Amino acid sequence: MPAGSGPNLVRERIWEVLDHIVDPEIRQLSIRQLGMVQSVSQPTQDTIEIVLRPTFSGCPALDIIRASVRLEVSRALDWPLEAVNVVYAFDQPWNTERISDSGRASLIRSGISPPADQPGERTVCPCCHSSRVVLTSRFGATRCRQQYLCQACRTPFEGIKPLG
Ligand SMILES: [Zn+2]
């Protein structure tokens, strides 16, 4: 272990890195904001284990995310690639309720409506915040999005599909 890098500092640095890696399906959010990161641990002095929850099942992005997490973390720590293990917790599926508040705010800034997860919660227009919106298509730019039209300001927009 390099000098001046206690376990807490190492983990802190890793969380920072995870805050800059995006899911190719939702580029507006880091995997940390998405709530994909289940845990970061250091099982031995010179190995790292990062457990991620897989998003949208069968998503081809999972391999890309795993590769970039390993690469970016090993670079940031200046550790060998083999020291960084990334595993997916397939028994603990991700759901859209795990998207953090800062993630939801980033989505709105990007003109994408966050998922309405709670019972009774309505999808709102990211432009005027009206809930007078209609679903126009279940198919958006990526498989995790769908299209809406705001009846208040007439803006078409995309929203993340609720998944729980
Ligand atoms: Zn609107």
Side-chain angles (χ1 to χ4, degrees), residues 28-30 33-34 99-108 114:
Q28 292 75 13
L29 295 186
S30 74
Q33 286 177 312
L34 263 177
I99 298 176
S100 69
D101 288 345
S102 86
R104 284 166 199 271
S106 301
L107 283 173
I108 293 170

Side-chain angles (χ1 to χ4, degrees), residues 125-130 133 150-155 157:
C125 170
C127 306
C128 72
H129 306 286
S130 167
V133 303
C150 175
Q151 294 184 307
C153 73
R154 298 268 145 209
T155 305
F157 66 93

Side-chain angles (χ1 to χ4, degrees), residues 31-161:
I31 60 173
R32 183 180 183 177
Q33 286 177 312
L34 263 177
M36 272 185 84
V37 185
Q38 172 74 22
S39 64
V40 171
S41 62
Q42 204 172 344
T44 65
Q45 264 201 358
D46 46 15
T47 58
I48 298 292
E49 184 173 273
I50 298 165
V51 180
L52 301 178
R53 294 190 184 209
T55 51
F56 302 91
S57 56
C59 176
L62 294 184
D63 285 339
I64 301 172
I65 295 171
R66 189 204 319 258
S68 39
V69 168
R70 293 188 70 203
L71 186 68
E72 297 301 324
V73 168
S74 72
R75 266 189 197 157
L77 299 177
D78 201 14
W79 285 23
L81 199 57
E82 305 74 57
V84 184
N85 299 304
V86 175
V87 291
Y88 281 107
F90 285 99
D91 57 330
Q92 289 172 311
W94 174 83
N95 60 58
T96 47
E97 283 176 43
R98 291 183 57 88
I99 298 176
S100 69
D101 288 345
S102 86
R104 284 166 199 271
S106 301
L107 283 173
I108 293 170
R109 277 198 302 277
S110 314
I112 297 174
S113 166
D117 285 317
Q118 306 304 327
E121 194 179 352
R122 299 284 312 265
T123 296
V124 296
C125 170
C127 306
C128 72
H129 306 286
S130 167
S131 59
R132 285 175 51 214
V133 303
V134 287
L135 182 64
T136 52
S137 169
R138 292 214 166 266
F139 302 97
T142 65
R143 73 169 88 192
C144 57
R145 298 195 212 160
Q146 51 195 6
Q147 295 172 3
Y148 296 87
L149 177 69
C150 175
Q151 294 184 307
C153 73
R154 298 268 145 209
T155 305
F157 66 93
E158 288 196 316
I160 303 293
K161 289 179 187 168

